[in-house]
Amino acid sequence: MSRLEFREVSKVYRIRGRGGRLTAVDKVSFTLEAGKTIALVGQSGSGKSTIAKLLLQLERPSSGSILLNGEPVRRRGLRAYRRTVQMVFQDPFASLNPYHSIAHHLERPLKLHGKSATEAAVHELLERVQLTPAAAIARRRPHELSGGQRQRVAIARALAPGPGILIADEPVSMLDVSIRLGVLNLLSDLQREENLGVLYITHDLATARHFSDEIMVMRHGQIVERGPSDQVILDPQHDYTKLLLQASPNPEKHFSRS
Amino acid sequence: MSDVLTVTDFSVDYLGEQTVHAVRNVDLTLGRGEILGLAGESGCGKTTLAYGINRLLKPPAVITSGKAVLHSREGTDIDLGSLTGEELRAFRWDRVSMVFQGAMNSLNPVISIRAQLEDIFSTHRPAMSKADRRTRCGELLERVGVDRNRLKSYPHELSGGMRQRVMIAMAMALEPQIMIMDEPTTALDVVVQREILLEITRLRDELGFAVLFITHDLPLLLEISDRIAVMRAGELVELAPAAQLYNSPQHAYTKLLLGSFPSLTGERAAG
Amino acid sequence: MAALTDPAVVVESAVREKRRRRLSPKLVVGLVICGGITLFGIVGPFFVGDPQKVDNIGLTPPGSGHLLGTTQTGQDVFAQLAYATRGSLLIGLTVGLAALALAAIFGVIGAYAGGWVDEAFSLFSNVMLVLPGLPLMIVISSYVQNKGVWLVAGVLALTSWAGCARVLRAVTLSVRNRDYVAAARVSGERTWRILCVEILPNLVPILVSLFVFSVIGAILGEAGLAFIGLGASNSWTWGTMLFWAGNGLALRLGALWWFVPPGVLITLFGAGLAMINFSIDEIVNPKLRDQTRRTRRGWKASKEQIAVAEEATK
């Protein structure tokens, strides 16, 4: 059972040359727990990708603390941290190295986290993300797969170390619309099976509602509204949430009105 | 409603070791002042079709059959395929203009907005006086909801949404009969996207141009289009008024696409 | 969903397959020229006599036991050419490798490490970039009496790597920010492994191209230095041959056989390497590939069709 806590975390970037400062994340607190999916919704530049980088220790917070199971993260314990916290990147065309086979992409995290990187283990991972026949897929290179297949490989790679927390940063926004739901359903099935704590970062309110238990709405580095998904979408409190909801295409409402 | 563009039996191939049929025998009509949505996924040929209509394809893409005929305001029919060189260049921005995906990044960063707008007039309306050009540019900007003072600005001083508005202003400059918009709002936030969509519909009502709106975002198309064409693997699989397409889709692929967007406020489907 | 094949993907894989099957003629010609000259440089010296051996027959045209004639002092030109080829190639290879290593260290590592390491490394490369080779050589030669081949190679390497380092730095900066590098970090990969396994393969085409480029530069540079008398003493290169030919008034005496062979070899070798470089560019940058006439001929289209399409997009 993993529990990842963000406590009053801020990230300030210095802007070169002008002496300016940009507060990308402003005193944000939340807790990711096993068995729960939280959606982080916001427009580009709202700071949601910075939160992903902070969660993955690709950036260090300017202030505040990140606690894994109650313990602060130390530079030494980074590998143990990464065994628990994994990520699915946004762009499956960029997150797989074109020079390596699919098998290589899955063997490395298995090896690095002390698991046996056998052919069978790789095939099992591929089957878990519904990529069959696994043996044929494992031999291929990223450019020989479609976008949806690549994203499934990326999910398999994130699952390889056996994480307890999964960060999914806009996992379907680069995919064709007709396969998006398939990938999201896969993520949600895995979340249930593995009892993962998932942070689903997105700008799409509709999928945020359908695939998460809670929604946090982010704007200018701050979380302006949070609550159970249905409540946030159907009965928004903050003006910004209302604005977002009004702006989002909603054919159902459109056609019932006219 | 009279038609402004008739596309018949239009096919485009990409030549190579294996020939790829990117657009296959598409028939399409665009009504005067109509917003026609063209929906489809990446690689379905929707952008190729738009480029083909406007004769913007470069080899290895080749138009293998069909034609696109524009019915001008003056009542003459112009076959776009018969135009060459200078005629085509004069024709393009004047009668049919385009707004590309990421167009906002195609503004020249070292030239002011005013100069870039004026350039259109000095190229296509050489007879226009300097003073007229100036006032016209100001009007254009205000029409798309950007302050006239912004004429002095350079592209980097404007936000993405504003730059996209400037691109729409440029596309409208010569009062074309058709505007082809290829994913014009994909790179923008929903709030900005909504503003621009409202702007496009308002301008269409005012000026009466027809819009061919290309995107993969079906919910968005359903809200703004009069009719929607769904494309898949180069073929037009369904063409129907928006409400009809939403309420009773005929083709299996249209149903698949509609089912790919969970409803925002309706019943919760997944758990 | 498998039915929704993306034409772009189909085109891409078709192109890939084609590339595997056929080498471009440019590459083949380049490889043949460079391979032939290299072979001559390696094997030639074993079959010829002593290039230094003076004979009192004086300047003789080709024929009568001397394949390419003799110099003013009766030395065999063919023998000199064989040794000179070996010498020039050695210098080219040494300088190419050394420059590449320096460029990789300062460009790639600096860019990947970032921060002050990057700042320091790029400052250093910029300083080296403006260091001119020729004046440096003149200064050094006024202090050192007996310049060896290695000294010349060293100076050439020192003054030629900085440009390559800048190119490598720029490419590394862009590769470093790709998601798969971040993904490798998230997987827990160590820094050196990310550098060697994730980033380096992306740089290989550029490294090869830079290497070829520095070899041409080094051979031409050495020839230039040697021709004005600043080359290594007691060694044979194409440059020193030209130097001695110039000294011996070969041009005025009309002794074509003396200065034409080294000149032709330099030109051929440079052209061959340039061709190799161009074809690497075409492999790396698919846009260039579509521009070649050969590719267009492979299209299943008539000339008229292409002409019409081109006319329409002018």
Side-chain angles (χ1 to χ4, degrees), chain B residues 14-20 41-44 55-62 64 84-85 88-89 92 232 253 256, chain C residues 1 3-8 10-11 14 18 21-22 290 296 298-301 305-306 309-314:
Chain B
Y14 280 95
L15 304 167
E17 290 279 286
Q18 291 167 303
T19 303
V20 178
E41 299 185 283
S42 62
C44 76
R55 299 277 147 172
L56 281 168
L57 292 173
K58 281 200 177 88
V62 171
T64 49
T84 48
L88 191 62
R89 221 189 324 269
R92 254 186 214 137
R232 184 200 162 172
Y253 182 67
L256 173 71
Chain C
M1 258 151 251
L4 307 174
T5 35
D6 184 346
V10 176
V11 172
K18 184 166 131 193
R21 262 183 285 137
R22 264 191 273 155
D290 276 353
R296 294 195 172 198
W299 289 341
K300 290 190 181 114
Q305 273 178 311
I306 292 177
E310 267 177 352
E311 166 65 30
T313 51
K314 247 179 218 160

Side-chain angles (χ1 to χ4, degrees), chain A residues 147-221:
Chain A
Q149 287 174 317
R150 288 187 218 199
Q151 198 59 307
R152 282 166 195 266
V153 172
I155 293 171
R157 170 173 63 188
L159 290 178
I165 303 281
L166 191 66
I167 321 285
D169 185 5
E170 304 251 15
V172 295
S173 67
M174 305 291 282
L175 303 180
D176 266 340
V177 285
S178 63
I179 57 169
R180 287 183 183 177
L181 281 188
V183 171
L184 287 174
N185 277 324
L186 171 73
L187 273 173
S188 124
D189 290 346
L190 290 167
Q191 184 262 331
R192 249 188 316 246
E193 283 163 25
E194 312 278 327
N195 200 27
L196 298 171
V198 175
L199 183 70
Y200 173 42
I201 301 177
T202 183
H203 64 267
D204 180 28
L205 292 164
T207 56
R209 174 178 170 226
H210 288 275
F211 289 95
S212 62
D213 305 297
E214 267 180 45
I215 292 182
M216 302 190 288
V217 182
M218 197 166 181
R219 185 196 192 191
H220 299 329

Side-chain angles (χ1 to χ4, degrees), chain C residues 83-100:
Chain C
Y83 277 92
T85 304
R86 180 183 277 184
S88 278
L89 290 183
L90 262 180
I91 285 186
L93 198 69
T94 320
V95 174
L97 286 176
L100 198 67

Side-chain angles (χ1 to χ4, degrees), chain C residues 170-255:
Chain C
V171 180
T172 311
L173 278 179
S174 94
V175 174
R176 185 179 88 126
N177 287 329
R178 294 207 187 135
D179 277 356
Y180 57 80
V181 175
R185 281 174 72 192
V186 170
S187 297
E189 296 278 15
R190 292 183 193 289
T191 307
W192 68 267
R193 228 197 114 92
I194 293 178
L195 259 179
C196 297
V197 180
E198 306 291 334
I199 293 185
L200 217 54
N202 289 286
L203 302 180
V204 165
I206 288 175
L207 285 172
V208 173
S209 154
L210 287 179
F211 172 72
V212 170
F213 199 65
S214 358
V215 172
I216 303 178
I219 289 176
L220 291 180
E222 193 279 335
L225 286 176
F227 186 69
I228 56 171
L230 295 172
S233 18
N234 300 323
S235 74
W236 285 108
T237 65
W238 291 328
T240 49
M241 271 187 87
L242 289 172
F243 170 69
W244 289 116
N247 251 9
L249 303 175
L251 194 59
R252 200 178 304 166
L253 297 173

Side-chain angles (χ1 to χ4, degrees), chain C residues 8-264:
Chain C
V9 172
V10 176
V11 172
E12 196 187 355
S13 60
V15 168
R16 264 167 215 280
E17 234 150 66
K18 184 166 131 193
R19 202 196 307 160
R20 241 175 256 143
R21 262 183 285 137
R22 264 191 273 155
L23 289 170
S24 81
K26 230 181 269 172
L27 186 64
V28 173
V29 173
L31 284 175
V32 167
I33 292 177
C34 296
I37 294 175
T38 311
L39 199 70
F40 176 59
I42 295 170
V43 181
F46 296 119
F47 294 97
V48 298
D50 181 5
Q52 311 268 31
K53 202 183 117 208
V54 179
D55 197 333
N56 60 4
I57 52 172
L59 199 61
T60 30
S64 68
H66 296 286
L67 194 57
L68 287 176
T70 60
T71 70
Q72 217 170 18
T73 48
Q75 293 164 319
D76 186 55
V77 172
F78 188 70
Q80 287 190 351
L81 193 67
Y83 277 92
T85 304
R86 180 183 277 184
S88 278
L89 290 183
L90 262 180
I91 285 186
L93 198 69
T94 320
V95 174
L97 286 176
L100 198 67
L102 286 168
I105 290 169
F106 286 99
V108 179
I109 295 179
Y112 184 72
W116 67 269
V117 179
D118 186 28
E119 302 260 335
F121 278 16
S122 38
L123 178 70
F124 184 58
S125 341
N126 287 345
V127 170
M128 293 307 289
L129 191 64
V130 292
L131 212 67
L134 190 62
L136 184 72
M137 205 56 219
I138 295 172
V139 171
I140 290 178
S141 55
S142 61
Y143 285 100
V144 186
Q145 286 306 313
N146 241 337
K147 298 184 294 297
V149 182
W150 301 115
L151 182 78
V152 178
V155 171
L156 284 169
L158 270 183
T159 50
S160 67
W161 64 270
C164 303
R166 284 185 63 100
V167 175
L168 281 177
R169 176 171 177 268
V171 180
T172 311
L173 278 179
S174 94
V175 174
R176 185 179 88 126
N177 287 329
R178 294 207 187 135
D179 277 356
Y180 57 80
V181 175
R185 281 174 72 192
V186 170
S187 297
E189 296 278 15
R190 292 183 193 289
T191 307
W192 68 267
R193 228 197 114 92
I194 293 178
L195 259 179
C196 297
V197 180
E198 306 291 334
I199 293 185
L200 217 54
N202 289 286
L203 302 180
V204 165
I206 288 175
L207 285 172
V208 173
S209 154
L210 287 179
F211 172 72
V212 170
F213 199 65
S214 358
V215 172
I216 303 178
I219 289 176
L220 291 180
E222 193 279 335
L225 286 176
F227 186 69
I228 56 171
L230 295 172
S233 18
N234 300 323
S235 74
W236 285 108
T237 65
W238 291 328
T240 49
M241 271 187 87
L242 289 172
F243 170 69
W244 289 116
N247 251 9
L249 303 175
L251 194 59
R252 200 178 304 166
L253 297 173
L256 289 173
W257 62 89
W258 192 356
F259 63 85
V260 168
V264 165

